[in-house]
Amino acid sequence: MTGHPKGFALRFISGKYQGGEFPLKIGREIVIGRSSDLDMVLVEDMVSRKHAKISAEEDQIVIQDLGSTNGTFVNGEKVKRVRLREGDRILIGTSIIKLVAIDGDVDAVASMQPGQDPTGQRAPRSVKRTVTGARSMAGSIDEIPLPDLLQLLSTSKKSGTLELQTDDGVGRIFLRQGQVYYAALEGVAIENPHKALYRILRWESGVFELQPPDDRTFEQEIEDSTEGLLMEAMRQIDEINRFKETLPELGAKIQLAQPMPVPLRDLSPGELDIVQIVMQHETLADVIDHHPKTDLDAYEAVAQLLSKGMIESDPK
């Protein structure tokens, strides 16, 4: 961060104070916490009275945890003291804060009227910036990709139901002490929680909200570690994107070839599953949805049958 026609600010991208922005002034420290006499006051139970300190110098911006009860996290890692870089995401309490570049001179931007908080409201004390609001832990997955969000929630051991609303649908990821134990899609015939989770993790645009924990129990709970799930999700995303280059569009109709070039007895069990599903459903999307295993398993089986000429896109 050497040289700075640019300034920097802390932008709240999730939590009670989403939309707020706190400019940083070079050569100054800000202390963040619940105590009313601090530079940035976050009024919530998971924030300690003196939680963290951010120092902005000419060549670096550093965050230091001040022995907080629930910890300070940067990009999903619990930290004691670390240098921040543009784009880093900080988790304090239920607030996700992003370090962003802002136009103009840092000192000029930071010399806002005393008492104005990052959400544009007047603070109760004339010389402090108190972040106020009553929003839950919510935000946009355009701002924070789902894998990054889950990593933050996992490392900070959050419990609750992460609800996601996108143009692709509505999904829910259930968390217990930071571990994913179930996932579901609304209005889609998917019973496999792994399949639902990996599909949700492909969503790139929409909004999220962390709701209170759900007391229901599920027959097929996920037991894998959240870290392992995220690694597998990234692998599946790469593989599915590769298949999409050669397969029909999801809305395309597919059908069994007539006559069939290969006897059914020569097909694998997975391929036979696809044949059965194709006989019952019209589009590739329907076939993918009704396949009992993950989307990647379904794409692989469809690709195999297409290559053998067993199924084909409906020319109509």
Side-chain angles (χ1 to χ4, degrees), residues 113-303:
Q113 293 184 13
Q116 186 177 25
D117 77 10
T119 61
Q121 304 297 315
R122 298 292 296 182
R125 296 174 62 90
S126 62
V127 295
K128 302 296 175 189
R129 303 175 190 224
T130 304
V131 187
T132 58
R135 301 190 64 167
S136 62
M137 188 172 187
S140 166
I141 58 178
D142 303 77
E143 283 274 12
I144 176 166
L146 274 175
D148 293 354
L149 176 60
L150 271 187
Q151 183 67 50
L152 282 171
L153 297 176
S154 172
T155 311
S156 55
K157 300 187 182 302
K158 292 284 192 294
S159 296
T161 302
L162 185 65
E163 181 172 297
L164 303 120
Q165 298 189 29
T166 75
D167 291 340
D168 297 307
V170 175
R172 293 177 181 85
I173 299 174
F174 298 81
L175 296 156
R176 185 186 295 129
Q177 290 294 304
Q179 293 301 304
V180 174
Y181 68 93
Y182 198 73
L185 290 159
E186 189 174 287
V188 182
I190 291 178
E191 298 180 356
N192 182 335
H194 285 86
K195 181 186 184 86
L197 176 66
Y198 295 147
R199 182 177 297 186
I200 290 170
L201 287 171
R202 301 209 308 268
W203 294 349
E204 297 179 343
S205 182
V207 296
F208 69 85
E209 182 174 4
L210 184 64
Q211 299 178 343
D214 192 311
D215 293 333
R216 287 179 297 170
T217 57
F218 302 97
E219 290 185 7
Q220 301 182 57
E221 288 198 0
I222 296 172
E223 298 181 353
D224 312 72
S225 70
T226 298
E227 182 177 332
L229 290 168
L230 291 174
M231 290 179 64
E232 175 60 17
M234 295 304 99
R235 184 189 75 83
Q236 293 207 12
I237 288 170
D238 289 342
E239 290 295 310
I240 287 173
N241 287 338
R242 181 171 61 83
F243 278 116
K244 281 184 174 180
E245 295 176 358
T246 59
L247 295 182
E249 296 291 330
L250 285 173
K253 292 185 177 181
I254 57 175
Q255 61 188 14
L256 296 180
Q258 296 295 337
M260 291 189 180
V262 178
L264 290 178
R265 64 176 178 272
D266 292 342
L267 299 180
S268 69
E271 292 170 339
L272 285 172
D273 285 341
I274 291 290
V275 167
Q276 184 68 30
I277 295 169
V278 169
M279 292 173 64
Q280 297 173 340
H281 301 281
E282 288 190 342
T283 68
L284 177 58
D286 288 336
V287 172
I288 300 297
D289 283 350
H290 287 84
H291 192 277
K293 296 185 179 180
T294 67
D295 287 354
L296 178 57
D297 292 320
Y299 275 108
E300 288 175 336
V302 167

Side-chain angles (χ1 to χ4, degrees), residues 14-217:
S14 171
K16 293 171 65 174
Y17 315 112
Q18 183 187 353
E21 194 165 283
F22 193 106
L24 298 176
K25 186 174 182 180
I26 298 301
R28 293 281 298 275
E29 291 183 345
I30 62 167
V31 179
I32 305 168
R34 202 174 67 245
S35 178
S36 62
D37 61 350
L38 301 181
D39 305 291
M40 183 190 289
V41 182
L42 304 182
V43 185
E44 59 169 291
D45 293 340
M46 293 187 67
V47 175
S48 297
R49 290 183 60 81
K50 287 188 177 181
H51 197 107
K53 176 176 68 176
I54 295 180
S55 306
E57 303 297 340
E58 291 284 342
D59 60 343
Q60 63 181 1
I61 296 174
V62 173
I63 187 168
Q64 178 181 345
D65 184 77
L66 298 178
S68 65
T69 301
N70 293 300
T72 300
F73 300 84
V74 176
N75 299 329
E77 297 293 330
K78 191 172 185 179
V79 300
K80 292 185 177 179
R81 186 179 187 277
V82 70
R83 180 176 178 177
L84 296 175
R85 291 173 172 78
E86 182 180 347
D88 281 352
R89 297 178 180 92
I90 305 159
L91 177 64
I92 294 178
T94 62
S95 293
I96 300 176
I97 309 165
K98 185 177 182 180
L99 181 65
V100 298
I102 54 177
D103 294 330
D105 178 77
V106 174
D107 291 348
V109 174
S111 60
M112 298 163 60
Q113 293 184 13
Q116 186 177 25
D117 77 10
T119 61
Q121 304 297 315
R122 298 292 296 182
R125 296 174 62 90
S126 62
V127 295
K128 302 296 175 189
R129 303 175 190 224
T130 304
V131 187
T132 58
R135 301 190 64 167
S136 62
M137 188 172 187
S140 166
I141 58 178
D142 303 77
E143 283 274 12
I144 176 166
L146 274 175
D148 293 354
L149 176 60
L150 271 187
Q151 183 67 50
L152 282 171
L153 297 176
S154 172
T155 311
S156 55
K157 300 187 182 302
K158 292 284 192 294
S159 296
T161 302
L162 185 65
E163 181 172 297
L164 303 120
Q165 298 189 29
T166 75
D167 291 340
D168 297 307
V170 175
R172 293 177 181 85
I173 299 174
F174 298 81
L175 296 156
R176 185 186 295 129
Q177 290 294 304
Q179 293 301 304
V180 174
Y181 68 93
Y182 198 73
L185 290 159
E186 189 174 287
V188 182
I190 291 178
E191 298 180 356
N192 182 335
H194 285 86
K195 181 186 184 86
L197 176 66
Y198 295 147
R199 182 177 297 186
I200 290 170
L201 287 171
R202 301 209 308 268
W203 294 349
E204 297 179 343
S205 182
V207 296
F208 69 85
E209 182 174 4
L210 184 64
Q211 299 178 343
D214 192 311
D215 293 333
R216 287 179 297 170
T217 57

